[in-house]
Amino acid sequence: MTSTADADTTTPDGYGELRAQLETLTTEAFRPELAEIDRLDTLEIARIMNGEDRSVPAAVGARLPEIAAAIDGTAERMARGGRLIYAGAGTAGRLGVLDASECPPTFNTDPSEVIGLIAGGPSAMVQAVEGAEDSKELAAADLDALDLTADDTVVGISASGRTPYAIGAVEHARGKGALTIGLSCNADSALGAAAEHGIEIVVGPELLTGSTRLKAGTAQKLVLNMLSTITMIRLGKTYGNLMVDVRASNEKLRARSRRIVSLATGASDEEIEAALAATDGEVKNAILTILGQVDGPTAATLLTASDGHLRAALAAAPRTT
C-alpha cells in the first residue's frame, strides 16, 4: 500500500516534492516546544519572542568575514560606476526595496544607483503576485530591463535559499559578469552556491513555523543595512560617522544638515549658514569651505578631484597661513 507521503511525491503539481524540500530547511522546522504558545498570556509570548530575536545578531556576527568580502567587492564596482541591485520575492524582496529606497535621502545617491527588484513588480510590495517567485525567467527579464553590466552587483535575497526568482537573478547576473551575492538563512543553500559570495545567516526555526518575516527577516535587514551603509562609507559618503551626503529634502533633514556641519566643524551658526548658502546647501561642500578655508567653487572642484571623499579633499585644500 502506498503511503500518503509517497503519493504526495508523485503528484503532478510537484507538491509532494516541494513539501519534502521544505522539510529539510531549518527556517521551516516545526518546534514542538512551542505547540501550546497560543495558550500562554501575552507577556510570556512577548518574552519568548524577544528571546528569539536576541539570537539574530550573533548569527549575523558569525558571518562577518563573508559580509565584509562582499562589501569590498561591491564598493570596488560602485566606485567604477556600477550599481547595487537587490532581487527577492515576498518579504525578502520588500526588504531589498526598502534598503534601496533609503539610500537617496541618506547618502544622496541617484535612485538608479541602488535598486530593489521584487518578484511581480512594485504591486508585490503590498499584495502577493501569485507565481512570480517561482520564475527564474522573470528575474532574468527584470535584470535585462536594467541593462546589467559587469560593474554591477546583484544581491539575491531568500530566507529559504531556494526561491527561483532570487536564484535566477544571481545566475543571470553571474553570466553577465556582474558580482553576485546570495543572502539566505539556511546552510548549504542553492542560492549561496549560485553566488560568488554566499552569505548564510542560520537563525534557526521560527517562533511561528515557516514565518520567515520574523528572525530570518530581521537577519536579512541587518545584513542589508551593512551592505549599503558600509559600501557608502567606503565610497566617501560619510565623514567619520556623519552623513555628509544627506539630501535635505524636508525641514527635519535641513535641520539635520546644519547640525552635521556644526558637529564636523564647530563653526558658529552664522558661519554655517554662510557656508551652506555658498554651496547650494550641500553639506559636504559646506564643511570643506569651513575646514579647508576655501570658497564654494573650489570646494566643488576639490571634491570632484577626490571622487567625493571629504578627507582627501581636505588634505588637498590649499590652506593659507
Side-chain angles (χ1 to χ4, degrees), residues 19-292:
R19 189 178 72 175
Q21 288 180 18
L22 294 179
E23 287 176 351
T24 68
L25 301 177
T26 302
T27 50
E28 298 287 333
F30 173 67
R31 300 176 61 179
E33 75 274 18
L34 297 177
E36 303 288 321
I37 194 171
D38 57 325
R39 303 179 70 174
L40 301 177
D41 65 51
T42 302
L43 180 57
E44 184 58 23
I45 296 173
R47 286 191 177 120
I48 293 171
M49 193 167 181
N50 181 242
E52 292 290 304
D53 290 340
R54 284 200 297 271
S55 69
V56 176
V60 174
R63 301 271 73 88
L64 290 180
E66 292 96 323
I67 295 169
I71 291 169
D72 284 339
T74 301
E76 178 185 344
R77 283 159 178 77
M78 290 197 77
R80 299 199 299 258
R83 298 164 295 179
L84 173 58
I85 303 167
Y86 298 127
T91 296
R94 293 181 189 103
L95 289 169
V97 172
L98 172 63
D99 197 75
S101 68
E102 292 289 352
C103 287
T106 307
F107 301 111
N108 200 19
T109 58
D110 188 273
S112 66
E113 292 181 76
V114 185
I115 301 168
L117 297 177
I118 182 169
S123 64
M125 285 293 292
V126 294
Q127 186 173 351
V129 176
E130 295 299 327
E133 74 169 54
D134 297 325
S135 174
K136 288 186 176 184
E137 293 74 21
L138 179 60
D142 287 345
L143 288 174
D144 283 340
L146 297 176
D147 293 324
L148 199 68
T149 77
D151 283 334
D152 293 326
T153 298
V154 173
V155 184
I157 314 167
S158 165
S160 68
R162 61 156 301 279
T163 305
Y165 183 88
I167 296 171
V170 164
E171 289 176 342
H172 188 70
R174 198 162 186 178
K176 296 285 188 179
L179 181 72
T180 55
I181 301 168
L183 172 58
S184 73
C185 294
N186 280 290
D188 303 318
S189 68
L191 178 59
E196 184 175 344
H197 294 277
I199 300 173
E200 297 174 334
I201 313 296
V202 182
V203 295
E206 298 286 6
L207 180 89
L208 301 180
T209 306
S211 182
T212 52
R213 72 182 185 88
L214 300 177
K215 288 190 297 184
T218 300
Q220 291 167 9
K221 179 67 166 67
L222 292 177
V223 175
L224 295 179
N225 282 350
M226 287 185 177
L227 284 176
S228 58
T229 301
I230 303 176
T231 293
M232 295 303 161
I233 290 173
R234 294 273 74 88
L235 293 174
K237 295 288 188 178
T238 66
Y239 179 63
N241 63 342
L242 296 175
M243 298 182 292
V244 292
D245 263 342
V246 66
R247 179 176 296 168
S249 56
N250 58 42
E251 284 302 321
K252 182 188 79 170
L253 292 178
R254 278 187 279 276
R256 180 178 290 167
S257 296
R258 282 155 178 76
R259 184 167 184 267
I260 289 171
V261 178
S262 175
L263 289 169
T265 66
S268 66
D269 289 345
E270 292 76 13
E271 289 177 292
I272 292 169
E273 291 301 325
L276 286 168
T279 57
D280 295 323
E282 294 288 344
V283 172
K284 185 186 289 183
N285 299 49
I287 292 170
L288 182 53
T289 64
I290 295 171
L291 295 182

